[in-house]
Amino acid sequence: MSNNKYKVLIVEDEANICSFIETLLTTNDYQALVAHTCTMGLTLFASHNPDLVILDLGLPDRDGLELIRTVRQKYMTPIIVLSARTDEMDKIEALDLGANDYITKPFGTGELLARVRVALRLNRYRQVKGLRGCHTGDAVIFTMLRYRRKWDILHPGSRNIAMDLIRQHQHMMFEAQFSNAL
Ligand code: CA
């Protein structure tokens, strides 16, 4: 296995979905790591430092949201949430905790692969630009890149207001809106 393959950690307890995603990724030249519980997911994350996490929320031991919370204490690794849950509040909570994207089962293979590519591409871009301290969604990250200097000098109270605005806009604020808001 070549070293330059992207490592994708799949955290999913349903065996057929898991092997389906694993096969899909490996045949598309990704390296796949598989965990069936939240605890195992965190262990593999710590030992392998993956480039991307595909995460099911309904896991047997703990809620997948806990994995997002734990990872985001230290890492900006992109996380795509994959879940049967259709409740909007779950999506909002996952995104607020720092998930980058959300796919509801059932999903198409083309869609999953496209979202994987987008998440990895945005993360590369973010790394190049050295953006720190924002993990509420890729659209926001792009916005932040433009206003990074302004963001860095913001009073913490203003940052909180800005983050609330971003949440209200479901992570899809456009640059002009963000600029005006500040
Ligand atoms: Ca599940």
Side-chain angles (χ1 to χ4, degrees):
M1 186 162 295
S2 76
N3 288 330
N4 56 9
K5 286 186 178 182
Y6 282 114
K7 270 184 282 185
V8 181
L9 172 61
I10 306 160
V11 188
E12 163 69 82
D13 61 318
E14 289 170 63
N16 27 3
I17 295 177
C18 217
S19 64
F20 171 72
I21 299 172
E22 186 181 10
T23 305
L24 181 69
L25 291 177
T26 51
T27 54
N28 283 275
D29 216 28
Y30 296 97
Q31 182 184 345
L33 305 161
V34 175
H36 300 293
T37 62
C38 187
T39 305
M40 191 179 166
L42 286 168
T43 303
L44 285 181
F45 186 92
S47 55
H48 288 82
N49 189 25
D51 299 295
L52 171 75
V53 179
I54 296 177
L55 173 71
D56 179 28
L57 289 184
L59 294 165
D61 57 337
R62 287 189 280 165
D63 196 302
L65 293 172
E66 284 193 40
L67 187 142
I68 303 175
R69 202 176 282 121
T70 306
V71 165
R72 281 289 174 266
Q73 286 171 6
K74 284 190 180 176
Y75 300 96
M76 300 284 289
T77 311
I79 300 173
I80 298 175
V81 166
L82 179 67
S83 176
R85 299 179 190 188
T86 51
D87 186 83
E88 193 188 8
M89 287 310 294
D90 286 330
K91 294 183 189 179
I92 292 171
E93 192 173 2
L95 292 168
D96 276 346
L97 282 173
N100 300 75
D101 202 355
Y102 196 108
I103 305 180
T104 304
K105 298 173 192 172
F107 56 90
T109 56
E111 182 186 4
L112 179 62
L113 288 171
R115 287 175 187 266
V116 164
R117 287 194 298 273
V118 168
L120 291 170
R121 190 164 62 230
L122 289 172
N123 195 47
R124 270 203 314 279
Y125 186 69
R126 183 185 59 72
Q127 286 171 343
V128 168
K129 296 289 183 181
L131 182 75
R132 295 162 288 119
C134 174
H135 41 69
T136 56
D138 291 322
V140 177
I141 285 174
F142 270 123
T143 308
M144 294 299 187
L145 286 170
R146 287 292 186 90
Y147 293 95
R148 182 156 63 98
R149 182 168 296 165
K150 192 180 265 187
W151 182 258
D152 285 346
I153 60 170
L154 273 183
H155 182 272
S158 303
R159 290 186 192 191
N160 289 340
I161 291 168
M163 293 311 284
D164 284 345
L165 283 166
I166 289 162
R167 291 194 183 100
Q168 284 167 22
H169 284 82
Q170 301 269 341
H171 316 285
M172 291 299 287
M173 280 185 99
F174 293 102
E175 286 180 12
Q177 285 176 285
F178 190 75
S179 180
N180 292 339
L182 294 181

